[in-house]
Amino acid sequence: MIMIKHPRRLLGTGIITLGTSTAFCGTALAAEDGVADFFKQVLSNATYQSEAVVTAFREKPDDPENKGIEDEQIEGWSHLSMDSNSFIGDYWSFGLGLEAIASTYHGGEQGLFTAPGQGDGQGKYVDLSRLTLQYLGDSTEILIGKDTIPMGVAEIYSPSDLYNSSNLINPQQSTDFGIWQARTDFYLGSDRLTAIVMPLTESGPSASELSRWYARGSSGSDFAALNLPALPGGMTADVKDAGYDNDDPGNWGYMLEYKGTATGIDYFGSAYTGPSPYPVLKNPPSGQLGPFLVEYPRANILSAGAALTHESWKFYSEAVGYWSAHEKDDDVARMMVGTKYRETTFANSIGFNEITPIIEFDKEWRLDEQSHPDYSTSSADARPNPENVIAAITVTVNDEWKFGGAYNRSIRDQDSLTRLFVRYDPTDNLWMSLTAMDFHGGDGTVFGRYRRNDNIAFKVHYSF
């Protein structure tokens, strides 16, 4: 999610993102001739995307527990991204991705650029999403730097996509950021074997305690408002981030992944060991009331998935096994099955281009509960979609108009999220959308805690 320190004019968010791009260009052109020529090439190869969103909320978050939380019923958000790839000789490539974000959300963006290995989870006005040096051989590729790690075959939610970082200050407008890595890809015909070392563990930006998207400590890595066994009733927990020891290679993340193809089938399998993608809470030392420490304990993860495409149908499934070291977290198995259908016959008969429904089912099984004596709060609340049905439909009327919606329902907790949208694409480079979001459920549920955040959002997206 996003960052200016309490701006109050929506227009200012767009000015900041445009100003950031101008400042970056000016710095590059002022460099020495050789470097300047190279960055001229980087900029000339770049593509840009700009977004501006105005969101109107139905209610103010004015219940007693939300005292002091932002209560504006109109919020603004803007985003300018740059992505560039430039060759250095015949076999080397330089990649650069920059994200400039500004919003009116409290406690959002602050400062420029996140230092490698940073763990404070603070969003920036300007940050790197990609910075890569890549060797492109005939059958081998080597990449060093910051980049994403594509995972999974699912259309909506992938339980195996656990290793990327996102800016979640505004969950409705999440922005993907890469992770620092050293990666080697070996190509075996149409298949690929990938080995990745992730030496830096970082905290992705998330909603601050002043934001209306902060779930009062009951979601993500925030545990301050939970009913903790080690804390007397009525007391507020002192919760701190345990941080990361990135200097020790024993704390780094390591992954092997194999991606293959066959006639009509795409499949993958991966093995990972390293810091867990899910947080747990460590109790204070014996006899003390604080602080509690948020940790990401080491874990071993196996993932596999496959997608079968036949005519207008796509069938796909993923499975994940998660084992925590030293019983600091639950051991779990997760599964997802889904299908997608592209319907054109009936759509054409009523004057539409296409109707595309998707449905997925997610299920988690707890194989072993957290049992380490120093830990009493597992990552159960941070693991999304434990038993959910997710459905979506998109109706493409023509090249300019489409509409549809999505629905995520938790069978276990009886909470849900409903999304409806209409989108207009007047040109290839410009589109606009109007989206309505409705959250439903009890106070302690994932979606129910955001009941006062029902909203309508208008977005303008332009690429150039």
Side-chain angles (χ1 to χ4, degrees):
M1 323 292 192
I2 310 143
M3 308 211 155
I4 275 190
K5 199 69 175 177
H6 310 305
R8 280 293 161 264
R9 285 172 286 185
L10 302 183
L11 181 60
T13 64
I15 293 173
I16 288 172
T17 55
L18 294 175
T20 299
S21 177
T22 302
F24 175 80
C25 297
T27 301
L29 295 175
E32 297 179 0
D33 291 344
V35 176
D37 290 341
F38 174 72
F39 275 98
K40 286 180 182 179
Q41 178 187 351
V42 171
L43 293 174
S44 66
N45 293 338
T47 59
Y48 300 86
Q49 296 188 66
S50 177
E51 292 180 322
V53 182
V54 176
T55 303
F57 293 92
R58 189 182 68 182
E59 299 181 68
K60 294 182 178 182
D62 56 359
D63 59 288
E65 293 183 349
N66 274 342
K67 185 177 181 181
I69 301 298
E70 60 190 3
D71 59 0
E72 291 83 355
Q73 291 184 262
I74 302 292
E75 295 279 8
W77 182 88
S78 66
H79 175 209
L80 176 66
S81 67
M82 185 195 85
D83 190 74
S84 176
N85 289 291
S86 301
F87 275 98
I88 308 172
D90 295 331
Y91 295 100
W92 293 88
S93 174
F94 173 77
L96 177 65
L98 286 174
E99 314 295 328
I101 301 175
S103 73
T104 62
Y105 287 95
H106 291 212
E109 301 76 16
Q110 187 176 48
L112 306 177
F113 298 106
T114 301
Q118 186 68 33
D120 64 0
Q122 176 67 57
K124 307 296 183 182
Y125 290 123
V126 180
D127 215 341
L128 285 168
S129 57
R130 194 164 66 93
L131 181 64
T132 62
L133 182 62
Q134 190 171 10
Y135 170 76
L136 304 172
D138 294 334
S139 59
T140 303
E141 294 182 0
I142 299 173
L143 180 146
I144 299 175
K146 191 177 189 184
D147 202 1
T148 58
I149 300 179
M151 292 289 293
V153 294
E155 291 286 329
I156 303 176
Y157 167 70
S158 170
S160 63
D161 186 8
L162 298 170
Y163 312 106
N164 291 301
S165 178
S166 297
N167 183 331
L168 297 174
I169 291 169
N170 174 358
Q172 291 188 178
Q173 310 296 339
S174 64
T175 303
D176 291 334
F177 284 84
I179 63 171
W180 297 99
Q181 61 186 277
R183 184 172 79 212
T184 302
D185 295 298
F186 303 95
Y187 289 91
L188 311 170
S190 59
D191 297 353
R192 183 178 69 184
L193 176 65
T194 301
I196 307 176
V197 178
M198 294 164 266
L200 298 176
T201 304
E202 301 175 317
S203 293
S206 58
S208 76
E209 295 182 7
L210 298 176
S211 170
R212 70 188 305 139
W213 292 106
Y214 180 70
R216 298 194 297 277
S218 54
S219 69
S221 61
D222 301 306
F223 294 91
L226 293 180
N227 182 19
L228 302 172
L231 194 68
M235 294 190 64
T236 301
D238 177 17
V239 178
K240 295 183 178 180
D241 197 315
Y244 304 101
D245 182 7
N246 290 314
D247 295 332
D248 183 359
N251 293 331
W252 296 356
Y254 302 88
M255 177 189 289
L256 279 176
E257 181 187 26
Y258 188 90
K259 286 188 175 181
T261 61
T263 304
I265 300 176
D266 297 309
Y267 59 92
F268 75 93
S270 69
Y272 167 86
T273 182
S276 170
Y278 305 123
V280 299
L281 200 63
K282 184 178 181 179
N283 293 331
S286 179
Q288 299 183 27
L289 298 179
F292 292 82
L293 295 179
V294 176
E295 288 189 5
Y296 291 79
R298 289 198 69 81
N300 299 313
I301 303 174
L302 296 177
S303 302
L308 169 64
T309 303
H310 178 69
E311 296 180 347
S312 296
W313 289 92
K314 177 181 177 181
F315 304 93
Y316 51 93
S317 180
E318 294 182 24
V320 177
Y322 170 94
W323 295 271
S324 174
H326 307 299
E327 300 179 320
K328 293 182 178 180
D329 197 5
D330 304 326
D331 295 340
V332 299
R334 313 199 86 203
M335 176 272 296
M336 179 278 302
V337 293
T339 184
K340 174 183 177 181
Y341 179 66
R342 298 180 58 202
E343 203 292 316
T344 56
T345 303
F346 173 73
N348 293 165
S349 71
I350 58 176
F352 293 167
N353 284 0
E354 184 178 298
I355 300 174
T356 308
I358 303 172
I359 187 166
E360 297 179 357
F361 174 70
D362 298 278
K363 174 69 175 176
E364 175 183 285
W365 294 268
R366 187 178 300 184
L367 306 177
D368 193 14
E369 294 188 1
Q370 177 192 66
S371 59
H372 193 288
D374 294 334
Y375 297 77
S376 59
T377 305
S378 74
S379 66
D381 284 350
R383 302 191 297 264
N385 301 319
E387 189 176 5
N388 289 53
V389 175
I390 308 175
I393 187 169
T394 299
V395 179
T396 304
V397 179
N398 51 42
D399 292 339
E400 294 184 346
W401 289 95
K402 64 178 61 175
F403 64 91
Y407 182 70
N408 188 341
R409 175 74 175 181
S410 171
I411 299 173
R412 185 190 70 180
D413 299 328
Q414 299 298 300
D415 62 325
S416 63
L417 168 64
T418 303
R419 176 180 180 267
L420 300 174
F421 78 93
V422 59
R423 173 168 156 169
Y424 173 55
D425 297 50
T427 70
D428 292 338
N429 298 332
L430 174 67
W431 59 264
M432 294 169 278
S433 67
L434 189 67
T435 303
M437 302 283 284
D438 178 78
F439 300 87
H440 175 79
D443 290 339
T445 61
V446 172
F447 300 126
R449 59 176 63 109
Y450 295 119
R451 287 194 308 270
R452 291 180 175 271
N453 286 0
D454 294 349
N455 65 80
I456 296 177
F458 176 70
K459 174 185 288 191
V460 178
H461 179 103
Y462 182 66
S463 58
F464 54 100

